[in-house]
Every structure is written in structure tokens, then in C-alpha cells.
Amino acid sequence: MSQSLYFGTLTLTGEILMNHNLLRRRQLLFYLGLGIVGIGAATTFSNFRKVNVPSISPAKSDNTQDLETITVKTPAGKSLPEFQDISQWLNSAPLSIADLKGSVVLIQFWTFACINCQRTLPYITRWHRQYESQGLKVIGIHTPEFAFERDPNNIKKALRQHQITYPVPVDNEYKTWNAYENQYWPHMFLADRQGLLQYDHIGEGAYEKIEQTIRQLLG
């Protein structure tokens, strides 16, 4: 092989390698850009998560428009649905709705990896500490969104982290979620001492209104 042909081959090979490396860098920057866009989009998510009611878990969330809160007008006199097919009760022996009669009941659907749920927990744990002796019973129904949220050990770790000491039924099969016709994390229900629903709130916020309603129901 002549020297000129040898160096020409090296030059061509070098150009191919440079073009290949440039293509890889462009691809990397492209995917990185997608990641940055994704992160930016994540910051615009609303303060609750919505999911079409599944027959089994885990569910797939579909974040809706950016609304601060949703308050649903609860049908007057509707009784709390019974807890169904709870796989495990944490912080409590198994309970039924009948066991809660005589107490004002705050039920929240949540899952520990949901940031919207996490932001509500300081309020709920405070209400539990402050009003339990007056007759408030808090039940935190844990219905998972992702597979790792189904693991009771992970849930227990979250309970310790957030200092949750009220009863937490593990609703891994979405049976209680379905019984309440729920579609959101977080979602709170308030019932009076007769077990009749009086207030229904989706998402973060409305903490003053919720606490005011708790006080009214406690009398």
C-alpha cells in the first residue's frame, strides 16, 4: 500500500470515527434535553393525582389540569362504605365502619411516594394528635400507585418517616378504593359520629376549612 493511500485511509477512518462520536454526542444531548423537558414538565403537575378506577393495582396516574383543589358535594346522609379486602392493617387491629361509630372519622386515600400526599401529612398527623382525645378517628387508606409501594416494609418506613401513628389499612388490590369510587391521591372524606359523610375534598389545600369542619362535627 502506498504511503498516500495509507494516510488517506487513516484520514477517512478518523473522519468516520469523528462523525460517529459527534452523532453519539448529539444523541446524548437530545435525550438529555428530553430529560430536562420532562423534569420541567413534572414541576407543573397539579397538586393531586387522578387515575381511572382500576380493577387491580398498580394504577397508572394521569395528572389533570393545574387546579388548586377540588371539593366534591357529598350526597347528604350517605354512609361511609365498608373497608374491603384490606391485606394488612398497620398501627391497628383490623377495623370495620361499625367500629368507628360514635367517632368523627377522617379518611384519606394516599400513597407514600405521591408528593401531593406527602404535603398533606403534617396537617393530618397534627389533627390526629390534637383531636383524637375529643373523638376524631383518622384512617389513612394506603392504595399504591407503583409496585414498590405495595411492599408493607416500605409503607412502614414511610409511617416512621412521617410520624404516622393512626391506623393505615393497606389497600393493595384497590377494593376499598373502588368501594369509595375514588380516582385521586390524596382524597379526604369526613363523616360525623353516625358514620354519615359530611365533607369530601380532593388534593392539597383547604386545611382551614377541613379543620373547621372537624371542630364542628366534634361539637
Side-chain angles (χ1 to χ4, degrees):
M1 180 182 295
S2 67
Q3 187 175 11
S4 60
L5 179 59
Y6 173 75
F7 283 110
T9 303
L10 287 179
T11 300
L12 179 60
T13 302
E15 289 178 352
I16 293 173
L17 289 174
M18 288 178 62
N19 290 337
H20 179 70
N21 290 335
L22 179 60
L23 178 61
R24 287 178 62 85
R25 285 197 294 271
R26 286 177 177 173
Q27 289 174 334
L28 177 61
L29 289 172
F30 173 75
Y31 291 120
L32 180 60
L34 286 181
I36 292 172
V37 169
I39 292 170
T43 63
T44 66
F45 282 171
S46 59
N47 71 341
F48 60 91
R49 294 184 173 213
K50 181 180 179 181
V51 62
N52 293 327
V53 179
S55 58
I56 59 173
S57 63
K60 294 182 179 179
S61 66
D62 176 19
N63 290 283
T64 58
Q65 70 266 26
D66 188 11
L67 299 176
E68 181 178 353
T69 59
I70 295 178
T71 299
V72 180
K73 184 175 178 59
T74 303
K78 182 179 179 181
S79 298
L80 283 173
E82 188 58 76
F83 307 119
Q84 296 186 19
D85 291 337
I86 298 301
S87 60
Q88 185 175 356
W89 282 81
L90 304 177
N91 294 339
S92 172
L95 296 171
S96 67
I97 293 301
D99 295 327
L100 304 177
K101 288 292 180 66
S103 298
V104 172
V105 181
L106 170 61
I107 288 178
Q108 185 194 38
F109 284 89
W110 71 296
T111 185
F112 70 78
C114 168
I115 185 62
N116 312 123
C117 300
Q118 293 172 21
R119 291 172 181 156
T120 67
L121 295 178
Y123 297 92
I124 296 178
T125 54
R126 179 176 64 81
W127 295 334
H128 171 63
R129 293 192 302 269
Q130 185 170 347
Y131 297 111
E132 182 183 24
S133 62
Q134 301 177 40
L136 177 67
K137 192 73 172 178
V138 178
I139 307 291
I141 301 175
H142 188 275
T143 311
E145 181 177 8
F146 302 110
F148 68 92
E149 294 172 303
R150 298 169 60 87
D151 187 339
N153 290 325
N154 291 338
I155 302 172
K156 291 175 183 178
K157 181 178 179 180
L159 300 189
R160 293 191 296 269
Q161 177 183 351
H162 296 287
Q163 301 180 350
I164 295 172
T165 58
Y166 50 78
V168 174
V170 179
D171 182 32
N172 277 349
E173 301 306 321
Y174 278 67
K175 294 301 178 63
T176 299
W177 170 288
N178 289 333
Y180 278 73
E181 299 180 352
N182 187 35
Q183 298 183 65
Y184 301 92
W185 294 280
H187 193 167
M188 280 183 273
F189 298 87
L190 263 174
D192 61 22
R193 294 182 186 273
Q194 287 70 49
L196 303 178
L197 285 166
Q198 300 297 330
Y199 188 79
D200 183 347
H201 180 79
I202 293 167
E204 302 173 42
Y207 301 117
E208 291 184 5
K209 173 62 176 176
I210 295 170
E211 185 166 9
Q212 180 184 18
T213 305
I214 290 172
R215 290 176 175 174
Q216 290 174 348
L217 293 176
L218 288 173

